[in-house]
Amino acid sequence: MAHPEFANLRRALLLAACMLFAALPVRGETIYTFSVVPQFERRVLFGIWQPIVDELEKRTGARFQLTTSLSVSDYERDVHRGVYDFIYVNPYVMPNIEEQPGYVPLIRDRKPLRGILVVRKDSPVRKVEELQGKTLAVPSMSALGASLLLRAELDRQYKVKTQVVLAKTHSSVFLHVVNGFADAGGSVQKALSEQDQRVRDALRVLYQTSEVPSHPLAAHQRVPAALREQVRKAFLDLSATPQGRELLGKIPMQEAVAASSEDYRPLRALKLESYLQP
């Protein structure tokens, strides 16, 4: 295990590199950072998003560098610092990053987001009430469907409190449950659908949360307004073609629609801040 001082130094260097690379002119050409919340392990994430980014380059004429962080928590910390030019981010974060550091939502999936609670298929747990005091793996404390909304509904509707285990990514949540490191896991249906068949076959969805707006793709206000609109149009045009629907379906995003700040501001009324702690 790396010494904490070296781990902190490594993270500081990575963050500095990302910030230097954001909208970096190279031989007269600007490269924009395009960053995605690490819902899946890195290989899967880049396999899904790199073809989409390549298509955006063809359709807009702009250059993008696909990047991410090692964990959901690290990613959201970087987002709040305005490190990236374009982001695909937790819906609950969106209302808090509009004014500072200044992100504008561009598109989202028409289909809403639902959090899910999974257990092993052979688990004796049949009702959420049976999870009282049990361990619950989540990708991050601030994940909307996978943690905040899920834990709030367990508490408010069923009076169930769990012991939270931070798994750092959605893929890791599922592996925690499959391997018996947690009694249950919080995630979203989209992330579950992208797992290997053997993982999906080993799990059972015990509970689904209420619906909330899906993850937005947003752009920092430093990105020229014309390019923001080009990227929005490129996604909408992609969603209107069979090839594009196949690419976006792997996110998965079933149908891209224009997003606005008004879509996400009602999330504040859920008052989930108390669930940011274990």
Side-chain angles (χ1 to χ4, degrees):
M1 180 179 293
H3 192 280
E5 292 184 2
F6 289 109
N8 291 337
L9 176 61
R10 180 171 178 269
R11 166 154 178 77
L13 291 173
L14 284 172
L15 179 58
C18 285
M19 295 186 76
L20 285 171
F21 200 65
L24 176 67
V26 178
R27 295 181 182 178
E29 193 173 32
T30 299
I31 298 179
Y32 295 92
T33 47
F34 192 109
S35 193
V36 181
V37 60
Q39 293 176 301
F40 318 121
E41 62 96 3
R42 193 177 185 87
R43 177 183 58 82
V44 174
L45 193 76
F46 274 69
I48 291 169
W49 279 95
Q50 190 62 60
I52 295 172
V53 170
D54 292 343
E55 189 66 29
L56 290 178
E57 289 189 332
K58 293 177 187 176
R59 291 172 178 263
T60 65
R63 292 280 305 280
F64 302 102
Q65 174 67 38
L66 181 61
T67 184
T68 190
S69 298
L70 297 177
S71 71
V72 175
S73 298
D74 287 346
Y75 180 77
E76 291 183 354
R77 190 179 303 116
D78 291 346
V79 164
H80 278 91
R81 296 179 66 175
V83 171
Y84 310 116
D85 297 315
F86 291 89
I87 56 172
Y88 180 73
V89 71
N90 174 359
Y92 197 66
V93 170
M94 194 66 242
N96 301 317
I97 59 174
E98 289 182 69
E99 294 183 8
Q100 182 63 36
Y103 282 101
V104 180
L106 302 179
I107 60 101
R108 61 176 173 83
D109 192 356
R110 182 184 296 277
K111 186 176 180 180
L113 174 74
R114 280 181 178 270
I116 59 172
L117 188 150
V118 298
V119 295
R120 279 178 56 111
K121 185 166 285 186
D122 59 1
S123 170
V125 174
R126 295 293 167 180
K127 299 186 298 182
V128 293
E129 292 89 343
E130 296 171 11
L131 289 173
Q132 184 71 255
K134 302 290 187 181
T135 51
L136 173 71
V138 299
S140 77
M141 297 305 298
S142 60
L144 179 55
S147 177
L148 289 174
L149 188 58
L150 175 61
R151 292 170 55 234
E153 291 190 4
L154 291 179
D155 180 24
R156 294 169 179 175
Q157 298 178 26
Y158 300 94
K159 309 302 180 187
V160 168
K161 294 188 182 297
T162 56
Q163 300 178 44
V164 176
V165 176
L166 286 177
K168 296 190 177 181
T169 68
H170 288 260
S171 297
S172 183
V173 165
F174 299 128
L175 292 178
H176 268 64
V177 178
V178 170
N179 293 317
F181 300 140
D183 297 301
S187 186
V188 293
Q189 190 63 51
K190 291 181 177 183
L192 180 60
S193 68
E194 290 297 324
Q195 302 305 304
D196 290 341
Q197 188 65 48
R198 64 177 184 82
V199 174
R200 298 200 305 272
D201 288 346
L203 296 170
R204 170 165 48 90
V205 176
L206 182 67
Y207 178 79
Q208 294 189 58
T209 70
S210 54
E211 296 179 348
V212 290
S214 292
H215 290 61
L217 176 78
H220 197 281
Q221 292 177 12
R222 64 174 169 258
V223 176
L227 178 56
R228 287 183 242 154
E229 288 308 310
Q230 282 183 298
V231 170
R232 188 202 305 268
K233 184 177 185 300
F235 263 92
L236 296 177
D237 290 347
L238 266 175
S239 189
T241 69
Q243 175 202 12
R245 285 194 295 273
E246 182 178 354
L247 287 176
L248 298 181
K250 295 176 182 177
I251 295 175
M253 181 181 291
Q254 304 304 321
E255 181 184 357
V257 296
S260 69
S261 298
E262 287 70 29
D263 294 335
Y264 297 96
R265 286 174 184 161
L267 293 177
R268 290 175 174 166
L270 296 176
K271 299 186 182 300
L272 303 176
E273 288 78 11
S274 63
Y275 297 97
L276 285 169
Q277 301 300 320

